[in-house]
Amino acid sequence: PSTPGATSSIKSSFLGGGGGPPSTDKLLRRPSSAMRDSFQQLASQTAHQLEDIWDIVGIVPEERASQLADLVDRIAALCHEKIDQEEQLADQFRKEIASARAEWEESCAVLRIEEEDPLVKMKRDPSVNGATTGVSLQSEYEVMMGRLESIRGRMEVATEDIVNSQQRIYEAYAALNGCSVDEARDCGELEAWADTKTNLTEEQLELFRSKAVELEESVSSRTQAVVSLLVDCQTLIRELGIVPPGCEGEAESDGYIEVGQNEDDVKIMNSLKSIERSNDNDGRPRSRGKSTDSYTVASLFESSSCIGIGKDALDHLTSRIAELNGEKRRRREKLAEIGGEIASLWSMLRVPSAEQHAFTKSVRGLGMDTMDKGEKELNRLHELKTVMIGKLIREQRQTIDELWERTNASKKEKASFDRYFHVNDEDKLTSELLAKHEEYAGALTAKLEKMQPILELIERRESIIEERVELEMLQKDPDRLKGRNASKQLMKEEKMMRRVQKELPKITQHLEKKLKEWYVANKPSQTDDDDVRDEDLGHFMYKGQPYLRTMKTQEHEWVTRKERGEKERQRKRQEERSTSSGSAFGS
């Protein structure tokens, strides 16, 4: 075996330094020649030293030859190993360069840019071509990687941009269609926006951005529409008093049943949130008319506590508003009906105004509690009505008497109600009998309302008839225009004359038309069983007589009166002429 000193001497000889410090200058200047000379010197020195050692040890020639052969093999193996290592390094450089070139080419294709191959450009450089050894793999690698890093920067920026736009597209689409983002990714409708790798040009990036903005604007518009509908829904739900348990302070309930409630109401009541800070924490819209600018949806996506803005949200909310408005109309109509009946009973039963005011103050809104209070008050009044039935029937009869008088009812009309009107046995004074009286009084009231315009015309005509008689009496006094008030008297008579001569004929003509129309509308139908029919039936009665007949009678009496007066005047003139002739003859 060799000693450490011997090994150091060999290494020193190989580096060409003899016994001095090691140097690599000769290897760097002429590697091939330097290695050949060094190996020869190394082999010669090693052989001499081994010979000396073997002589001392006494190694036989055959053993010496075997050890030398083994040493040569080991040196050869070491050289081959070194060569393999360096070949592998060269191959690695080639692979890295090829991979970098492929990535560069793919990036250029994706970015749609045209660039000359940097290696081709480098090899075309005169300074490179002038070198005896050509372009090294390390130089190619450095040039290729430098250009690739520049392209990678652009790729990263473009990829981040397009992926961000794609995510916005998916999220907006998912919100608008009520699906998850993953479902939006798999949707065929968005297939055109699935590729974010093969085209990263500015035009493609702008297309993605525009689509994202378009869908986000749709989300904004949809959100505003949903917020508006939610505000209307919440307002109606509160107005109807059907806020679900657990919402806005309502007590929790295992299973609530309230008229008009819906399974979506919980979502509706929790779907709004304030955009700006407020002192109130209940989340409900403040009174701002129809404005909803301060509110948005709690979430764009439907959940157990939010209705979202999906494609079904608008339909559900519109349908719910229609249902709530229908329930609101139904309750209003019911409350109006109950209120009208309560008011009528209050009036009939003489309920004190303080009691009425207390009840009115206790009911608010259209909630079921208001409906229940109305029903209870109505039941109470009906019970009170049952207790006061006799008194109420007598009051109704008094009212009917007054209406008979005002409608100029005939005896036959009055007799048609005798079987109810003259029942006085306390046991027979029932609510059914009261209902008959109320019904009959209502019919008479309706009849009076229809008669009223004609009655007003009749009263106006009767007033002028009286003025006509008064005017005739005034005109019989020859001295009426000789006093101090002669001018006033003359003006009064002129007004009376205008009414008698102009207004009376017009009113009479109009009345005749109306009275005939009344008769046509109210005349009884003739049947075979009617042997004798009252001729007055169907006519408009006034003071017990058909007023058409009264007008004819009045006109006939007036004409007769005028004729009788004219005859009386002629008789007096005749007497005056006779008296005057006799006096003249006697003288």
Side-chain angles (χ1 to χ4, degrees):
S2 63
T3 64
T7 303
S8 175
S9 175
I10 293 171
K11 180 179 179 182
S12 176
S13 298
F14 179 77
L15 293 174
S23 173
T24 58
D25 290 344
K26 187 176 180 181
L27 286 172
L28 290 175
R29 287 197 301 272
R30 298 180 61 193
S32 178
S33 175
M35 283 185 68
R36 183 177 63 251
D37 295 342
S38 296
F39 274 122
Q40 288 177 352
Q41 184 178 359
L42 176 62
S44 176
Q45 290 179 353
T46 300
H48 287 301
Q49 291 178 5
L50 287 174
E51 287 288 341
D52 293 339
I53 295 169
W54 287 337
D55 288 340
I56 295 171
V57 174
I59 301 299
V60 298
E62 291 81 1
E63 179 65 20
R64 293 181 182 187
S66 175
Q67 289 190 21
L68 286 173
D70 181 59
L71 179 60
V72 170
D73 290 340
R74 287 167 63 186
I75 292 172
L78 182 62
C79 291
H80 286 306
E81 181 181 352
K82 183 60 177 175
I83 292 170
D84 289 342
Q85 289 178 353
E86 295 305 313
E87 282 293 343
Q88 290 176 9
L89 178 61
D91 289 342
Q92 185 63 30
F93 267 109
R94 292 187 187 97
K95 290 178 181 178
E96 293 287 340
I97 293 169
S99 176
R101 175 184 275 116
E103 184 179 346
W104 170 79
E105 290 174 348
E106 182 181 354
S107 298
C108 287
V110 169
L111 293 171
R112 303 291 194 274
I113 57 176
E114 295 183 1
E115 284 189 351
E116 184 179 3
D117 189 325
L119 298 184
V120 174
K121 182 178 180 181
M122 181 181 71
K123 291 175 180 178
R124 197 171 60 246
D125 188 339
S127 63
V128 174
N129 290 333
T132 58
T133 58
V135 180
S136 69
L137 290 177
Q138 186 159 347
S139 297
E140 290 185 6
Y141 177 78
E142 290 173 353
V143 169
M144 196 70 246
M145 290 305 296
R147 188 62 197 131
L148 181 58
E149 287 300 322
S150 174
I151 292 293
R152 278 176 176 171
R154 293 179 61 178
M155 283 284 289
E156 287 175 3
V157 172
T159 300
E160 182 180 357
D161 190 329
I162 199 169
V163 168
N164 178 60
S165 296
Q166 183 192 57
Q167 183 66 17
R168 290 164 58 195
I169 290 170
Y170 288 149
E171 289 176 354
Y173 181 89
L176 290 170
N177 291 274
C179 62
S180 68
V181 175
D182 289 337
E183 288 172 333
R185 291 181 189 278
D186 297 333
C187 176
E189 191 175 342
L190 297 181
E191 186 177 355
W193 311 100
D195 182 9
T196 59
K197 295 181 178 180
T198 61
N199 186 353
L200 294 178
T201 61
E202 184 59 34
E203 292 79 5
Q204 185 73 349
L205 297 182
E206 184 59 33
L207 281 176
F208 271 73
R209 293 188 205 110
S210 299
K211 184 62 176 179
V213 169
E214 175 191 333
L215 290 176
E216 285 170 349
E217 287 176 349
S218 297
V219 168
S220 178
S221 299
R222 177 79 64 81
T223 300
Q224 291 177 8
V226 169
V227 167
S228 179
L229 291 173
L230 282 170
V231 169
D232 291 344
C233 265
Q234 289 190 6
T235 301
L236 287 167
I237 287 171
R238 294 189 193 97
E239 190 174 353
L240 294 173
I242 55 174
V243 176
C247 297
E248 298 187 353
E250 291 292 321
E252 292 285 355
S253 174
D254 293 335
Y256 68 95
I257 299 176
E258 186 73 67
V259 176
Q261 285 179 328
N262 183 285
E263 60 182 8
D264 283 337
D265 288 353
V266 172
K267 296 180 182 180
I268 290 171
M269 297 308 296
N270 290 300
S271 290
L272 281 181
K273 69 176 181 180
S274 178
I275 296 175
E276 58 188 15
R277 297 187 65 181
S278 171
N279 293 330
D280 298 308
N281 298 319
D282 59 5
R284 71 175 63 184
R286 301 291 160 251
S287 176
R288 292 191 175 187
K290 294 292 184 181
S291 175
T292 57
D293 294 341
S294 297
Y295 299 93
T296 186
V297 290
S299 172
L300 297 178
F301 299 93
E302 185 177 4
S303 66
S304 60
S305 61
C306 183
I307 199 162
I309 65 165
K311 57 186 178 182
D312 296 330
L314 288 177
D315 292 338
H316 288 168
L317 288 171
T318 302
S319 175
R320 185 62 182 137
I321 286 177
E323 292 174 1
L324 292 170
N325 278 321
E327 178 65 13
K328 181 177 179 179
R329 283 193 298 273
R330 187 192 71 78
R331 292 191 186 185
R332 275 185 171 171
E333 291 169 0
K334 183 64 176 177
L335 284 174
E337 180 184 340
I338 293 174
E341 195 170 349
I342 287 174
S344 176
L345 288 170
W346 276 346
S347 177
M348 179 187 297
L349 301 173
R350 309 291 191 270
V351 175
S353 58
E355 192 175 327
Q356 296 180 26
H357 179 70
F359 174 79
T360 304
K361 191 175 180 181
S362 71
V363 293
R364 286 289 182 274
L366 298 172
M368 289 306 297
D369 59 332
T370 300
M371 306 287 287
D372 292 340
K373 288 179 180 179
E375 294 284 359
K376 289 177 181 177
E377 176 67 4
L378 192 57
N379 292 335
R380 184 186 75 84
L381 293 173
H382 278 301
E383 291 174 1
L384 184 59
K385 177 181 173 182
T386 302
V387 175
M388 300 176 61
I389 198 74
K391 179 183 177 183
L392 296 175
I393 288 175
R394 285 188 286 274
E395 289 178 354
Q396 285 295 323
R397 286 174 178 173
Q398 184 179 350
T399 301
I400 288 171
D401 264 329
E402 293 172 358
L403 288 168
W404 275 341
E405 179 68 24
R406 294 181 66 186
T407 57
N408 298 287
S410 66
K411 291 181 179 180
K412 190 167 184 178
E413 285 181 289
K414 295 177 181 180
S416 66
F417 195 67
D418 278 352
R419 57 177 174 163
Y420 304 114
F421 196 79
H422 296 293
V423 175
N424 293 307
D425 189 344
E426 289 294 334
D427 294 337
K428 295 181 179 179
L429 298 180
T430 63
S431 59
E432 289 77 10
L433 185 64
L434 176 60
K436 289 291 183 182
H437 281 71
E438 291 172 342
E439 182 182 351
Y440 187 65
L444 288 176
T445 301
K447 180 179 179 182
L448 179 60
E449 289 176 357
K450 290 174 64 177
M451 292 175 65
Q452 199 59 43
I454 296 178
L455 285 173
E456 291 173 0
L457 286 173
I458 290 174
E459 289 169 2
R460 180 62 180 157
R461 184 177 182 279
E462 289 295 316
S463 174
I464 297 175
I465 291 292
E466 291 177 3
E467 282 189 331
R468 183 170 66 177
V469 175
E470 181 185 354
L471 180 60
E472 183 186 33
M473 298 301 295
L474 289 172
Q475 290 176 341
K476 288 181 179 181
D477 182 8
D479 298 328
R480 71 188 187 284
L481 301 177
K482 294 180 180 180
R484 283 191 305 176
N485 296 325
S487 59
K488 290 184 179 180
Q489 181 63 31
L490 181 60
M491 290 177 63
K492 177 182 176 183
E493 291 183 14
E494 287 176 349
K495 289 180 181 179
M496 294 172 70
M497 184 68 73
R498 281 196 298 272
R499 283 194 289 271
V500 170
Q501 292 182 348
K502 294 185 178 181
E503 190 172 348
L504 180 58
K506 290 181 180 179
I507 292 177
T508 300
Q509 182 181 6
H510 186 52
L511 257 176
E512 285 180 354
K513 179 182 177 183
K514 290 294 181 183
L515 293 171
K516 288 176 181 178
E517 290 175 355
W518 178 275
Y519 177 72
V520 171
N522 294 276
K523 66 180 179 179
S525 58
Q526 181 69 43
T527 64
D528 296 336
D529 296 333
D530 293 337
D531 296 330
V532 178
R533 191 177 66 177
D534 188 347
E535 294 182 356
D536 294 344
L537 287 178
H539 282 284
F540 191 96
M541 305 298 289
Y542 184 76
K543 294 183 178 180
Q545 295 292 328
Y547 196 68
L548 266 176
R549 186 189 304 163
T550 299
M551 287 199 301
K552 291 178 182 179
T553 301
Q554 287 173 336
E555 290 305 309
H556 176 72
E557 289 176 351
W558 177 251
V559 170
T560 302
R561 180 177 180 141
K562 294 288 286 183
E563 290 176 351
R564 194 164 50 244
E566 183 62 30
K567 288 179 181 179
E568 183 64 24
R569 283 193 295 274
Q570 289 178 2
R571 185 186 65 75
K572 286 183 178 181
R573 284 197 295 269
Q574 185 65 34
E575 288 179 355
E576 288 174 359
R577 283 197 296 271
S578 298
T579 302
S580 176
S581 297
S583 297
F585 182 74
S587 62

